[in-house]
Amino acid sequence: MVSLLGLSGSLRRASNSTAVLRGLQGALAPRTSLNIFPLHRMPLYNEDDDGEQAPESVCDLRSALEISDGVIMISPEYNHGMSGVLKNALDWASRPYGRSVLRS
């Protein structure tokens, strides 16, 4: 079974982005699982807080990425770009430099 991780760039309860991910969960089953990871508890990236003592929510995100076969990211457009929520999660996921869980 393929295991995917879904990241929504919107925190709203009635988010269209999250609704799309939920729709994909059903459409992909049963051959593929899609786990939607909530970004509500992610602190703003601060290198001083990274490393061995990274916040629990950051460690949870990194672990979820590590065990996933792929990632589906969806975000509303904010000022011609992705949301700050998703960008912040990617900042955490892409660190520490040279040892990120985001690799090809």
Side-chain angles (χ1 to χ4, degrees):
M1 175 182 280
V2 176
S3 175
L4 299 176
L5 186 68
L7 300 177
S8 173
S10 177
L11 301 178
R12 290 185 318 110
R13 268 187 301 263
S15 163
N16 292 327
S17 297
T18 305
V20 169
L21 287 176
R22 287 189 188 116
L24 279 173
Q25 280 179 315
L28 294 171
R31 295 188 312 249
T32 302
S33 68
L34 174 60
N35 177 33
I36 301 172
F37 188 90
L39 298 177
H40 296 79
R41 297 181 308 132
M42 299 294 296
L44 292 174
Y45 182 77
N46 181 343
E47 189 175 11
D48 292 341
D49 297 332
D50 204 354
E52 298 298 320
Q53 300 301 318
E56 183 180 357
S57 58
V58 171
C59 295
D60 292 345
L61 173 62
R62 288 175 176 165
S63 294
L65 287 163
E66 184 91 55
I67 63 172
S68 295
D69 296 312
V71 181
I72 297 175
M73 293 177 264
I74 187 167
S75 177
E77 177 188 339
Y78 291 120
N79 298 317
H80 308 289
M82 73 178 89
S83 71
V85 170
L86 183 57
K87 171 69 170 80
N88 184 58
L90 293 174
D91 286 343
W92 278 111
S94 67
R95 307 291 195 284
Y97 180 77
R99 295 182 289 130
S100 166
V101 294
L102 297 177
R103 60 187 177 280
S104 53

